Amino acid sequence: MGKSIKTKRICFMGLLFATAVVLSYLEGIVTVPGLPPGIKLGLSNIVTMYCVFFLGAPNAYILAALKALSVLLMRGPTGALLSLLGGFISVTVMLLFTWSKKGGLSYLIISILGAIAHNMGQLLGSSLLMGTTLTLYYFPILILSGIGMGIVTGLVLKTLLPAVEKLDRQLR
């Protein structure tokens, strides 16, 4: 890989990270009526899904780690830990189902599974932090929200793909 291509790849990852941070910030200030406590749209996960589906495992894990670092700076260590656990478990689950895509799972289904995995990672993290398994009673709500938000983020990614792919091609 030539120096120019490496530089372009790094710039593209920087753009994706900046997009994820902005989306995370926006979803933090936008309140969606009717959502249970702690449930967010997961808009920044759209960028992570793009990395999983099109840029590979290393880039997806790097982006998840960078997102957790930005959460550390904006919301503190508890939020960062939950972001890191949710992000890494979500990326792992999506990668596993992407690699076994021969089974015919669509990106939308993988998005839903990733959203549920993200919620479960955060739930496990909160159980560890609080030292109790009582938080696991929130599991059914998180599955339902993971399904709903996974559909939303999957459809948004599908809608944005042509523009992102065009930008990616220009940076190659």
Side-chain angles (χ1 to χ4, degrees), residues 45-53 60-61 86-101 105 107-118 153 157:
N45 295 329
I46 295 166
V47 182
T48 306
M49 286 188 308
Y50 178 80
C51 284
V52 166
F53 297 150
Y61 283 115
F88 274 29
I89 290 172
S90 175
V91 166
T92 301
V93 165
M94 288 190 291
L95 284 168
L96 288 172
F97 282 101
T98 300
W99 290 332
S100 67
K101 198 166 184 313
L105 290 180
Y107 288 134
L108 185 62
I109 298 298
I110 296 170
S111 171
I112 292 167
L113 294 171
I116 292 170
H118 192 279
T153 56
L157 177 62

PDB file of all heavy atoms in Angstrom, residues 45-53 60-61 86-101 105 107-118 153 157:
ATOM      1  N   ASN A  45     -23.720   3.970  15.689  1.00  0.00           N
ATOM      2  CA  ASN A  45     -23.453   2.572  15.330  1.00  0.00           C
ATOM      3  C   ASN A  45     -23.594   2.335  13.830  1.00  0.00           C
ATOM      4  O   ASN A  45     -23.123   1.321  13.315  1.00  0.00           O
ATOM      5  CB  ASN A  45     -24.361   1.635  16.121  1.00  0.00           C
ATOM      6  CG  ASN A  45     -24.059   1.708  17.609  1.00  0.00           C
ATOM      7  OD1 ASN A  45     -22.925   1.956  18.003  1.00  0.00           O
ATOM      8  ND2 ASN A  45     -25.065   1.510  18.422  1.00  0.00           N
ATOM      9  N   ILE A  46     -24.218   3.258  13.126  1.00  0.00           N
ATOM     10  CA  ILE A  46     -24.300   3.162  11.665  1.00  0.00           C
ATOM     11  C   ILE A  46     -22.886   3.159  11.082  1.00  0.00           C
ATOM     12  O   ILE A  46     -22.572   2.385  10.177  1.00  0.00           O
ATOM     13  CB  ILE A  46     -25.123   4.335  11.083  1.00  0.00           C
ATOM     14  CG1 ILE A  46     -26.574   4.243  11.565  1.00  0.00           C
ATOM     15  CG2 ILE A  46     -25.034   4.380   9.569  1.00  0.00           C
ATOM     16  CD1 ILE A  46     -27.382   5.509  11.335  1.00  0.00           C
ATOM     17  N   VAL A  47     -22.038   3.997  11.637  1.00  0.00           N
ATOM     18  CA  VAL A  47     -20.661   4.091  11.154  1.00  0.00           C
ATOM     19  C   VAL A  47     -19.908   2.799  11.479  1.00  0.00           C
ATOM     20  O   VAL A  47     -19.148   2.283  10.651  1.00  0.00           O
ATOM     21  CB  VAL A  47     -19.957   5.321  11.770  1.00  0.00           C
ATOM     22  CG1 VAL A  47     -18.542   5.449  11.241  1.00  0.00           C
ATOM     23  CG2 VAL A  47     -20.755   6.589  11.488  1.00  0.00           C
ATOM     24  N   THR A  48     -20.134   2.262  12.671  1.00  0.00           N
ATOM     25  CA  THR A  48     -19.488   1.000  13.046  1.00  0.00           C
ATOM     26  C   THR A  48     -19.937  -0.123  12.117  1.00  0.00           C
ATOM     27  O   THR A  48     -19.122  -0.943  11.687  1.00  0.00           O
ATOM     28  CB  THR A  48     -19.810   0.652  14.510  1.00  0.00           C
ATOM     29  OG1 THR A  48     -19.468   1.761  15.345  1.00  0.00           O
ATOM     30  CG2 THR A  48     -19.047  -0.583  14.954  1.00  0.00           C
ATOM     31  N   MET A  49     -21.232  -0.160  11.804  1.00  0.00           N
ATOM     32  CA  MET A  49     -21.736  -1.200  10.886  1.00  0.00           C
ATOM     33  C   MET A  49     -21.072  -1.077   9.531  1.00  0.00           C
ATOM     34  O   MET A  49     -20.728  -2.086   8.914  1.00  0.00           O
ATOM     35  CB  MET A  49     -23.258  -1.097  10.737  1.00  0.00           C
ATOM     36  CG  MET A  49     -24.028  -1.576  11.932  1.00  0.00           C
ATOM     37  SD  MET A  49     -25.810  -1.655  11.653  1.00  0.00           S
ATOM     38  CE  MET A  49     -26.206  -0.056  11.020  1.00  0.00           C
ATOM     39  N   TYR A  50     -20.890   0.140   9.056  1.00  0.00           N
ATOM     40  CA  TYR A  50     -20.223   0.325   7.774  1.00  0.00           C
ATOM     41  C   TYR A  50     -18.820  -0.290   7.827  1.00  0.00           C
ATOM     42  O   TYR A  50     -18.406  -0.998   6.899  1.00  0.00           O
ATOM     43  CB  TYR A  50     -20.139   1.809   7.404  1.00  0.00           C
ATOM     44  CG  TYR A  50     -19.401   2.022   6.109  1.00  0.00           C
ATOM     45  CD1 TYR A  50     -20.048   1.825   4.893  1.00  0.00           C
ATOM     46  CD2 TYR A  50     -18.057   2.365   6.091  1.00  0.00           C
ATOM     47  CE1 TYR A  50     -19.364   1.980   3.694  1.00  0.00           C
ATOM     48  CE2 TYR A  50     -17.369   2.521   4.905  1.00  0.00           C
ATOM     49  CZ  TYR A  50     -18.031   2.325   3.714  1.00  0.00           C
ATOM     50  OH  TYR A  50     -17.355   2.467   2.534  1.00  0.00           O
ATOM     51  N   CYS A  51     -18.106  -0.027   8.915  1.00  0.00           N
ATOM     52  CA  CYS A  51     -16.760  -0.607   9.057  1.00  0.00           C
ATOM     53  C   CYS A  51     -16.814  -2.127   9.074  1.00  0.00           C
ATOM     54  O   CYS A  51     -16.003  -2.783   8.416  1.00  0.00           O
ATOM     55  CB  CYS A  51     -16.100  -0.102  10.343  1.00  0.00           C
ATOM     56  SG  CYS A  51     -15.503   1.583  10.226  1.00  0.00           S
ATOM     57  N   VAL A  52     -17.771  -2.685   9.805  1.00  0.00           N
ATOM     58  CA  VAL A  52     -17.899  -4.151   9.871  1.00  0.00           C
ATOM     59  C   VAL A  52     -18.148  -4.720   8.485  1.00  0.00           C
ATOM     60  O   VAL A  52     -17.493  -5.674   8.060  1.00  0.00           O
ATOM     61  CB  VAL A  52     -19.030  -4.565  10.840  1.00  0.00           C
ATOM     62  CG1 VAL A  52     -19.407  -6.030  10.668  1.00  0.00           C
ATOM     63  CG2 VAL A  52     -18.639  -4.290  12.284  1.00  0.00           C
ATOM     64  N   PHE A  53     -19.100  -4.159   7.774  1.00  0.00           N
ATOM     65  CA  PHE A  53     -19.529  -4.724   6.502  1.00  0.00           C
ATOM     66  C   PHE A  53     -18.537  -4.483   5.363  1.00  0.00           C
ATOM     67  O   PHE A  53     -18.427  -5.304   4.468  1.00  0.00           O
ATOM     68  CB  PHE A  53     -20.890  -4.167   6.091  1.00  0.00           C
ATOM     69  CG  PHE A  53     -22.014  -4.519   7.040  1.00  0.00           C
ATOM     70  CD1 PHE A  53     -23.087  -3.668   7.186  1.00  0.00           C
ATOM     71  CD2 PHE A  53     -22.001  -5.688   7.785  1.00  0.00           C
ATOM     72  CE1 PHE A  53     -24.147  -3.981   8.050  1.00  0.00           C
ATOM     73  CE2 PHE A  53     -23.032  -6.004   8.651  1.00  0.00           C
ATOM     74  CZ  PHE A  53     -24.104  -5.152   8.773  1.00  0.00           C
ATOM     75  N   ALA A  60     -13.180  -1.910  12.280  1.00  0.00           N
ATOM     76  CA  ALA A  60     -14.386  -1.879  13.107  1.00  0.00           C
ATOM     77  C   ALA A  60     -14.025  -1.816  14.590  1.00  0.00           C
ATOM     78  O   ALA A  60     -14.621  -1.039  15.354  1.00  0.00           O
ATOM     79  CB  ALA A  60     -15.256  -3.095  12.814  1.00  0.00           C
ATOM     80  N   TYR A  61     -13.050  -2.626  15.014  1.00  0.00           N
ATOM     81  CA  TYR A  61     -12.627  -2.595  16.424  1.00  0.00           C
ATOM     82  C   TYR A  61     -11.939  -1.278  16.772  1.00  0.00           C
ATOM     83  O   TYR A  61     -12.125  -0.735  17.861  1.00  0.00           O
ATOM     84  CB  TYR A  61     -11.715  -3.775  16.750  1.00  0.00           C
ATOM     85  CG  TYR A  61     -12.463  -5.077  16.911  1.00  0.00           C
ATOM     86  CD1 TYR A  61     -12.266  -6.124  16.020  1.00  0.00           C
ATOM     87  CD2 TYR A  61     -13.376  -5.262  17.943  1.00  0.00           C
ATOM     88  CE1 TYR A  61     -12.940  -7.331  16.163  1.00  0.00           C
ATOM     89  CE2 TYR A  61     -14.068  -6.456  18.096  1.00  0.00           C
ATOM     90  CZ  TYR A  61     -13.848  -7.484  17.204  1.00  0.00           C
ATOM     91  OH  TYR A  61     -14.538  -8.660  17.354  1.00  0.00           O
ATOM     92  N   GLY A  86     -20.172  -2.587  24.951  1.00  0.00           N
ATOM     93  CA  GLY A  86     -21.236  -2.676  23.948  1.00  0.00           C
ATOM     94  C   GLY A  86     -20.685  -2.695  22.543  1.00  0.00           C
ATOM     95  O   GLY A  86     -21.089  -3.514  21.710  1.00  0.00           O
ATOM     96  N   GLY A  87     -19.715  -1.815  22.276  1.00  0.00           N
ATOM     97  CA  GLY A  87     -19.140  -1.731  20.941  1.00  0.00           C
ATOM     98  C   GLY A  87     -18.388  -2.985  20.541  1.00  0.00           C
ATOM     99  O   GLY A  87     -18.572  -3.510  19.436  1.00  0.00           O
ATOM    100  N   PHE A  88     -17.541  -3.496  21.417  1.00  0.00           N
ATOM    101  CA  PHE A  88     -16.746  -4.681  21.082  1.00  0.00           C
ATOM    102  C   PHE A  88     -17.617  -5.928  20.928  1.00  0.00           C
ATOM    103  O   PHE A  88     -17.401  -6.725  20.018  1.00  0.00           O
ATOM    104  CB  PHE A  88     -15.656  -4.919  22.122  1.00  0.00           C
ATOM    105  CG  PHE A  88     -14.389  -4.151  21.862  1.00  0.00           C
ATOM    106  CD1 PHE A  88     -14.405  -2.934  21.198  1.00  0.00           C
ATOM    107  CD2 PHE A  88     -13.175  -4.638  22.278  1.00  0.00           C
ATOM    108  CE1 PHE A  88     -13.244  -2.228  20.955  1.00  0.00           C
ATOM    109  CE2 PHE A  88     -12.004  -3.945  22.041  1.00  0.00           C
ATOM    110  CZ  PHE A  88     -12.035  -2.733  21.381  1.00  0.00           C
ATOM    111  N   ILE A  89     -18.602  -6.090  21.805  1.00  0.00           N
ATOM    112  CA  ILE A  89     -19.480  -7.259  21.682  1.00  0.00           C
ATOM    113  C   ILE A  89     -20.333  -7.150  20.425  1.00  0.00           C
ATOM    114  O   ILE A  89     -20.504  -8.125  19.691  1.00  0.00           O
ATOM    115  CB  ILE A  89     -20.332  -7.430  22.962  1.00  0.00           C
ATOM    116  CG1 ILE A  89     -19.428  -7.859  24.114  1.00  0.00           C
ATOM    117  CG2 ILE A  89     -21.452  -8.452  22.745  1.00  0.00           C
ATOM    118  CD1 ILE A  89     -20.090  -7.893  25.468  1.00  0.00           C
ATOM    119  N   SER A  90     -20.814  -5.951  20.135  1.00  0.00           N
ATOM    120  CA  SER A  90     -21.610  -5.745  18.927  1.00  0.00           C
ATOM    121  C   SER A  90     -20.791  -6.029  17.669  1.00  0.00           C
ATOM    122  O   SER A  90     -21.247  -6.735  16.762  1.00  0.00           O
ATOM    123  CB  SER A  90     -22.132  -4.303  18.904  1.00  0.00           C
ATOM    124  OG  SER A  90     -22.811  -4.033  17.706  1.00  0.00           O
ATOM    125  N   VAL A  91     -19.582  -5.479  17.602  1.00  0.00           N
ATOM    126  CA  VAL A  91     -18.715  -5.712  16.442  1.00  0.00           C
ATOM    127  C   VAL A  91     -18.442  -7.204  16.283  1.00  0.00           C
ATOM    128  O   VAL A  91     -18.523  -7.747  15.176  1.00  0.00           O
ATOM    129  CB  VAL A  91     -17.393  -4.914  16.563  1.00  0.00           C
ATOM    130  CG1 VAL A  91     -16.348  -5.396  15.569  1.00  0.00           C
ATOM    131  CG2 VAL A  91     -17.654  -3.421  16.369  1.00  0.00           C
ATOM    132  N   THR A  92     -18.147  -7.876  17.385  1.00  0.00           N
ATOM    133  CA  THR A  92     -17.850  -9.313  17.329  1.00  0.00           C
ATOM    134  C   THR A  92     -19.040 -10.101  16.787  1.00  0.00           C
ATOM    135  O   THR A  92     -18.878 -10.946  15.894  1.00  0.00           O
ATOM    136  CB  THR A  92     -17.453  -9.833  18.724  1.00  0.00           C
ATOM    137  OG1 THR A  92     -16.299  -9.101  19.173  1.00  0.00           O
ATOM    138  CG2 THR A  92     -17.145 -11.320  18.694  1.00  0.00           C
ATOM    139  N   VAL A  93     -20.222  -9.815  17.294  1.00  0.00           N
ATOM    140  CA  VAL A  93     -21.427 -10.523  16.838  1.00  0.00           C
ATOM    141  C   VAL A  93     -21.685 -10.240  15.361  1.00  0.00           C
ATOM    142  O   VAL A  93     -21.946 -11.158  14.576  1.00  0.00           O
ATOM    143  CB  VAL A  93     -22.646 -10.149  17.714  1.00  0.00           C
ATOM    144  CG1 VAL A  93     -23.951 -10.575  17.063  1.00  0.00           C
ATOM    145  CG2 VAL A  93     -22.512 -10.775  19.095  1.00  0.00           C
ATOM    146  N   MET A  94     -21.598  -8.980  14.953  1.00  0.00           N
ATOM    147  CA  MET A  94     -21.849  -8.650  13.541  1.00  0.00           C
ATOM    148  C   MET A  94     -20.814  -9.305  12.636  1.00  0.00           C
ATOM    149  O   MET A  94     -21.162  -9.794  11.554  1.00  0.00           O
ATOM    150  CB  MET A  94     -21.897  -7.137  13.336  1.00  0.00           C
ATOM    151  CG  MET A  94     -23.153  -6.503  13.898  1.00  0.00           C
ATOM    152  SD  MET A  94     -23.370  -4.766  13.409  1.00  0.00           S
ATOM    153  CE  MET A  94     -22.047  -3.985  14.295  1.00  0.00           C
ATOM    154  N   LEU A  95     -19.552  -9.321  13.070  1.00  0.00           N
ATOM    155  CA  LEU A  95     -18.519  -9.968  12.266  1.00  0.00           C
ATOM    156  C   LEU A  95     -18.794 -11.459  12.116  1.00  0.00           C
ATOM    157  O   LEU A  95     -18.660 -12.016  11.021  1.00  0.00           O
ATOM    158  CB  LEU A  95     -17.131  -9.748  12.876  1.00  0.00           C
ATOM    159  CG  LEU A  95     -16.529  -8.367  12.674  1.00  0.00           C
ATOM    160  CD1 LEU A  95     -15.310  -8.180  13.565  1.00  0.00           C
ATOM    161  CD2 LEU A  95     -16.177  -8.124  11.213  1.00  0.00           C
ATOM    162  N   LEU A  96     -19.169 -12.098  13.212  1.00  0.00           N
ATOM    163  CA  LEU A  96     -19.462 -13.533  13.153  1.00  0.00           C
ATOM    164  C   LEU A  96     -20.590 -13.828  12.162  1.00  0.00           C
ATOM    165  O   LEU A  96     -20.500 -14.761  11.364  1.00  0.00           O
ATOM    166  CB  LEU A  96     -19.821 -14.066  14.541  1.00  0.00           C
ATOM    167  CG  LEU A  96     -18.658 -14.161  15.527  1.00  0.00           C
ATOM    168  CD1 LEU A  96     -19.165 -14.512  16.919  1.00  0.00           C
ATOM    169  CD2 LEU A  96     -17.619 -15.166  15.053  1.00  0.00           C
ATOM    170  N   PHE A  97     -21.640 -13.015  12.210  1.00  0.00           N
ATOM    171  CA  PHE A  97     -22.756 -13.250  11.291  1.00  0.00           C
ATOM    172  C   PHE A  97     -22.445 -12.789   9.874  1.00  0.00           C
ATOM    173  O   PHE A  97     -22.988 -13.331   8.918  1.00  0.00           O
ATOM    174  CB  PHE A  97     -24.036 -12.598  11.812  1.00  0.00           C
ATOM    175  CG  PHE A  97     -24.680 -13.388  12.912  1.00  0.00           C
ATOM    176  CD1 PHE A  97     -24.535 -13.018  14.239  1.00  0.00           C
ATOM    177  CD2 PHE A  97     -25.407 -14.532  12.619  1.00  0.00           C
ATOM    178  CE1 PHE A  97     -25.106 -13.758  15.256  1.00  0.00           C
ATOM    179  CE2 PHE A  97     -25.990 -15.286  13.621  1.00  0.00           C
ATOM    180  CZ  PHE A  97     -25.837 -14.901  14.953  1.00  0.00           C
ATOM    181  N   THR A  98     -21.558 -11.814   9.724  1.00  0.00           N
ATOM    182  CA  THR A  98     -21.146 -11.386   8.388  1.00  0.00           C
ATOM    183  C   THR A  98     -20.291 -12.470   7.736  1.00  0.00           C
ATOM    184  O   THR A  98     -20.461 -12.788   6.571  1.00  0.00           O
ATOM    185  CB  THR A  98     -20.357 -10.058   8.457  1.00  0.00           C
ATOM    186  OG1 THR A  98     -21.208  -9.062   9.025  1.00  0.00           O
ATOM    187  CG2 THR A  98     -19.913  -9.612   7.084  1.00  0.00           C
ATOM    188  N   TRP A  99     -19.373 -13.047   8.521  1.00  0.00           N
ATOM    189  CA  TRP A  99     -18.509 -14.098   7.989  1.00  0.00           C
ATOM    190  C   TRP A  99     -19.310 -15.342   7.643  1.00  0.00           C
ATOM    191  O   TRP A  99     -18.946 -16.084   6.744  1.00  0.00           O
ATOM    192  CB  TRP A  99     -17.408 -14.438   8.979  1.00  0.00           C
ATOM    193  CG  TRP A  99     -16.388 -13.341   9.122  1.00  0.00           C
ATOM    194  CD1 TRP A  99     -16.035 -12.418   8.182  1.00  0.00           C
ATOM    195  CD2 TRP A  99     -15.605 -13.041  10.271  1.00  0.00           C
ATOM    196  NE1 TRP A  99     -15.084 -11.560   8.667  1.00  0.00           N
ATOM    197  CE2 TRP A  99     -14.796 -11.919   9.959  1.00  0.00           C
ATOM    198  CE3 TRP A  99     -15.500 -13.600  11.533  1.00  0.00           C
ATOM    199  CZ2 TRP A  99     -13.893 -11.367  10.853  1.00  0.00           C
ATOM    200  CZ3 TRP A  99     -14.600 -13.041  12.422  1.00  0.00           C
ATOM    201  CH2 TRP A  99     -13.809 -11.946  12.081  1.00  0.00           C
ATOM    202  N   SER A 100     -20.401 -15.553   8.350  1.00  0.00           N
ATOM    203  CA  SER A 100     -21.238 -16.715   8.043  1.00  0.00           C
ATOM    204  C   SER A 100     -22.440 -16.301   7.201  1.00  0.00           C
ATOM    205  O   SER A 100     -23.474 -16.936   7.231  1.00  0.00           O
ATOM    206  CB  SER A 100     -21.703 -17.387   9.338  1.00  0.00           C
ATOM    207  OG  SER A 100     -22.580 -16.528  10.038  1.00  0.00           O
ATOM    208  N   LYS A 101     -22.285 -15.218   6.443  1.00  0.00           N
ATOM    209  CA  LYS A 101     -23.378 -14.674   5.634  1.00  0.00           C
ATOM    210  C   LYS A 101     -23.877 -15.676   4.591  1.00  0.00           C
ATOM    211  O   LYS A 101     -24.937 -15.510   4.035  1.00  0.00           O
ATOM    212  CB  LYS A 101     -22.949 -13.377   4.960  1.00  0.00           C
ATOM    213  CG  LYS A 101     -24.116 -12.549   4.466  1.00  0.00           C
ATOM    214  CD  LYS A 101     -23.635 -11.167   4.137  1.00  0.00           C
ATOM    215  CE  LYS A 101     -24.731 -10.231   3.740  1.00  0.00           C
ATOM    216  NZ  LYS A 101     -25.686 -10.646   2.810  1.00  0.00           N
ATOM    217  N   LEU A 105     -28.222 -14.361   5.868  1.00  0.00           N
ATOM    218  CA  LEU A 105     -28.697 -13.256   6.694  1.00  0.00           C
ATOM    219  C   LEU A 105     -28.445 -11.928   5.990  1.00  0.00           C
ATOM    220  O   LEU A 105     -27.360 -11.682   5.469  1.00  0.00           O
ATOM    221  CB  LEU A 105     -27.998 -13.255   8.051  1.00  0.00           C
ATOM    222  CG  LEU A 105     -28.356 -14.380   9.011  1.00  0.00           C
ATOM    223  CD1 LEU A 105     -27.581 -14.221  10.308  1.00  0.00           C
ATOM    224  CD2 LEU A 105     -29.843 -14.406   9.296  1.00  0.00           C
ATOM    225  N   TYR A 107     -28.097  -7.713   5.766  1.00  0.00           N
ATOM    226  CA  TYR A 107     -27.448  -6.698   6.586  1.00  0.00           C
ATOM    227  C   TYR A 107     -28.421  -6.160   7.634  1.00  0.00           C
ATOM    228  O   TYR A 107     -28.005  -5.796   8.734  1.00  0.00           O
ATOM    229  CB  TYR A 107     -26.922  -5.556   5.720  1.00  0.00           C
ATOM    230  CG  TYR A 107     -25.716  -5.945   4.891  1.00  0.00           C
ATOM    231  CD1 TYR A 107     -25.637  -5.615   3.548  1.00  0.00           C
ATOM    232  CD2 TYR A 107     -24.647  -6.640   5.451  1.00  0.00           C
ATOM    233  CE1 TYR A 107     -24.527  -5.957   2.789  1.00  0.00           C
ATOM    234  CE2 TYR A 107     -23.544  -6.992   4.710  1.00  0.00           C
ATOM    235  CZ  TYR A 107     -23.480  -6.648   3.380  1.00  0.00           C
ATOM    236  OH  TYR A 107     -22.383  -7.000   2.642  1.00  0.00           O
ATOM    237  N   LEU A 108     -29.690  -6.110   7.318  1.00  0.00           N
ATOM    238  CA  LEU A 108     -30.682  -5.613   8.273  1.00  0.00           C
ATOM    239  C   LEU A 108     -30.764  -6.546   9.488  1.00  0.00           C
ATOM    240  O   LEU A 108     -30.772  -6.080  10.629  1.00  0.00           O
ATOM    241  CB  LEU A 108     -32.054  -5.473   7.607  1.00  0.00           C
ATOM    242  CG  LEU A 108     -33.138  -4.847   8.473  1.00  0.00           C
ATOM    243  CD1 LEU A 108     -32.780  -3.428   8.875  1.00  0.00           C
ATOM    244  CD2 LEU A 108     -34.468  -4.862   7.738  1.00  0.00           C
ATOM    245  N   ILE A 109     -30.793  -7.839   9.264  1.00  0.00           N
ATOM    246  CA  ILE A 109     -30.839  -8.807  10.378  1.00  0.00           C
ATOM    247  C   ILE A 109     -29.549  -8.720  11.188  1.00  0.00           C
ATOM    248  O   ILE A 109     -29.578  -8.734  12.426  1.00  0.00           O
ATOM    249  CB  ILE A 109     -31.063 -10.243   9.860  1.00  0.00           C
ATOM    250  CG1 ILE A 109     -32.405 -10.369   9.134  1.00  0.00           C
ATOM    251  CG2 ILE A 109     -30.942 -11.257  10.994  1.00  0.00           C
ATOM    252  CD1 ILE A 109     -33.611 -10.079  10.005  1.00  0.00           C
ATOM    253  N   ILE A 110     -28.414  -8.605  10.496  1.00  0.00           N
ATOM    254  CA  ILE A 110     -27.137  -8.482  11.198  1.00  0.00           C
ATOM    255  C   ILE A 110     -27.105  -7.192  12.010  1.00  0.00           C
ATOM    256  O   ILE A 110     -26.585  -7.159  13.132  1.00  0.00           O
ATOM    257  CB  ILE A 110     -25.954  -8.574  10.206  1.00  0.00           C
ATOM    258  CG1 ILE A 110     -25.932  -9.969   9.563  1.00  0.00           C
ATOM    259  CG2 ILE A 110     -24.636  -8.265  10.890  1.00  0.00           C
ATOM    260  CD1 ILE A 110     -24.966 -10.111   8.413  1.00  0.00           C
ATOM    261  N   SER A 111     -27.687  -6.125  11.483  1.00  0.00           N
ATOM    262  CA  SER A 111     -27.787  -4.863  12.213  1.00  0.00           C
ATOM    263  C   SER A 111     -28.603  -5.033  13.493  1.00  0.00           C
ATOM    264  O   SER A 111     -28.219  -4.543  14.561  1.00  0.00           O
ATOM    265  CB  SER A 111     -28.429  -3.800  11.316  1.00  0.00           C
ATOM    266  OG  SER A 111     -28.735  -2.644  12.050  1.00  0.00           O
ATOM    267  N   ILE A 112     -29.703  -5.750  13.395  1.00  0.00           N
ATOM    268  CA  ILE A 112     -30.551  -5.998  14.568  1.00  0.00           C
ATOM    269  C   ILE A 112     -29.786  -6.817  15.605  1.00  0.00           C
ATOM    270  O   ILE A 112     -29.785  -6.488  16.800  1.00  0.00           O
ATOM    271  CB  ILE A 112     -31.856  -6.714  14.157  1.00  0.00           C
ATOM    272  CG1 ILE A 112     -32.739  -5.773  13.328  1.00  0.00           C
ATOM    273  CG2 ILE A 112     -32.606  -7.235  15.380  1.00  0.00           C
ATOM    274  CD1 ILE A 112     -33.892  -6.465  12.619  1.00  0.00           C
ATOM    275  N   LEU A 113     -29.102  -7.864  15.154  1.00  0.00           N
ATOM    276  CA  LEU A 113     -28.322  -8.696  16.067  1.00  0.00           C
ATOM    277  C   LEU A 113     -27.198  -7.878  16.717  1.00  0.00           C
ATOM    278  O   LEU A 113     -26.908  -8.045  17.913  1.00  0.00           O
ATOM    279  CB  LEU A 113     -27.761  -9.914  15.339  1.00  0.00           C
ATOM    280  CG  LEU A 113     -28.808 -10.910  14.835  1.00  0.00           C
ATOM    281  CD1 LEU A 113     -28.163 -11.960  13.934  1.00  0.00           C
ATOM    282  CD2 LEU A 113     -29.551 -11.557  15.992  1.00  0.00           C
ATOM    283  N   GLY A 114     -26.581  -6.993  15.955  1.00  0.00           N
ATOM    284  CA  GLY A 114     -25.540  -6.126  16.498  1.00  0.00           C
ATOM    285  C   GLY A 114     -26.088  -5.161  17.534  1.00  0.00           C
ATOM    286  O   GLY A 114     -25.454  -4.912  18.567  1.00  0.00           O
ATOM    287  N   ALA A 115     -27.279  -4.619  17.283  1.00  0.00           N
ATOM    288  CA  ALA A 115     -27.901  -3.697  18.242  1.00  0.00           C
ATOM    289  C   ALA A 115     -28.245  -4.419  19.544  1.00  0.00           C
ATOM    290  O   ALA A 115     -28.012  -3.891  20.639  1.00  0.00           O
ATOM    291  CB  ALA A 115     -29.153  -3.067  17.626  1.00  0.00           C
ATOM    292  N   ILE A 116     -28.783  -5.612  19.423  1.00  0.00           N
ATOM    293  CA  ILE A 116     -29.106  -6.399  20.624  1.00  0.00           C
ATOM    294  C   ILE A 116     -27.815  -6.723  21.385  1.00  0.00           C
ATOM    295  O   ILE A 116     -27.759  -6.598  22.615  1.00  0.00           O
ATOM    296  CB  ILE A 116     -29.873  -7.683  20.254  1.00  0.00           C
ATOM    297  CG1 ILE A 116     -31.270  -7.326  19.737  1.00  0.00           C
ATOM    298  CG2 ILE A 116     -29.970  -8.623  21.454  1.00  0.00           C
ATOM    299  CD1 ILE A 116     -32.025  -8.490  19.122  1.00  0.00           C
ATOM    300  N   ALA A 117     -26.766  -7.114  20.652  1.00  0.00           N
ATOM    301  CA  ALA A 117     -25.484  -7.432  21.288  1.00  0.00           C
ATOM    302  C   ALA A 117     -24.906  -6.204  21.992  1.00  0.00           C
ATOM    303  O   ALA A 117     -24.357  -6.307  23.096  1.00  0.00           O
ATOM    304  CB  ALA A 117     -24.501  -7.974  20.253  1.00  0.00           C
ATOM    305  N   HIS A 118     -25.035  -5.040  21.367  1.00  0.00           N
ATOM    306  CA  HIS A 118     -24.546  -3.799  21.975  1.00  0.00           C
ATOM    307  C   HIS A 118     -25.271  -3.544  23.297  1.00  0.00           C
ATOM    308  O   HIS A 118     -24.643  -3.258  24.316  1.00  0.00           O
ATOM    309  CB  HIS A 118     -24.764  -2.627  21.005  1.00  0.00           C
ATOM    310  CG  HIS A 118     -24.046  -1.387  21.406  1.00  0.00           C
ATOM    311  ND1 HIS A 118     -24.531  -0.519  22.353  1.00  0.00           N
ATOM    312  CD2 HIS A 118     -22.865  -0.865  20.989  1.00  0.00           C
ATOM    313  CE1 HIS A 118     -23.691   0.479  22.493  1.00  0.00           C
ATOM    314  NE2 HIS A 118     -22.669   0.293  21.673  1.00  0.00           N
ATOM    315  N   THR A 153     -31.229   1.761  12.335  1.00  0.00           N
ATOM    316  CA  THR A 153     -29.849   1.994  11.910  1.00  0.00           C
ATOM    317  C   THR A 153     -29.513   1.222  10.631  1.00  0.00           C
ATOM    318  O   THR A 153     -28.794   1.729   9.773  1.00  0.00           O
ATOM    319  CB  THR A 153     -28.844   1.651  13.028  1.00  0.00           C
ATOM    320  OG1 THR A 153     -29.034   0.294  13.447  1.00  0.00           O
ATOM    321  CG2 THR A 153     -28.996   2.588  14.213  1.00  0.00           C
ATOM    322  N   LEU A 157     -28.321   3.075   7.220  1.00  0.00           N
ATOM    323  CA  LEU A 157     -27.086   2.697   6.533  1.00  0.00           C
ATOM    324  C   LEU A 157     -27.368   2.343   5.081  1.00  0.00           C
ATOM    325  O   LEU A 157     -26.656   2.780   4.174  1.00  0.00           O
ATOM    326  CB  LEU A 157     -26.393   1.527   7.233  1.00  0.00           C
ATOM    327  CG  LEU A 157     -25.127   1.012   6.537  1.00  0.00           C
ATOM    328  CD1 LEU A 157     -24.057   2.083   6.462  1.00  0.00           C
ATOM    329  CD2 LEU A 157     -24.599  -0.228   7.243  1.00  0.00           C
TER     330      LEU A 157
END
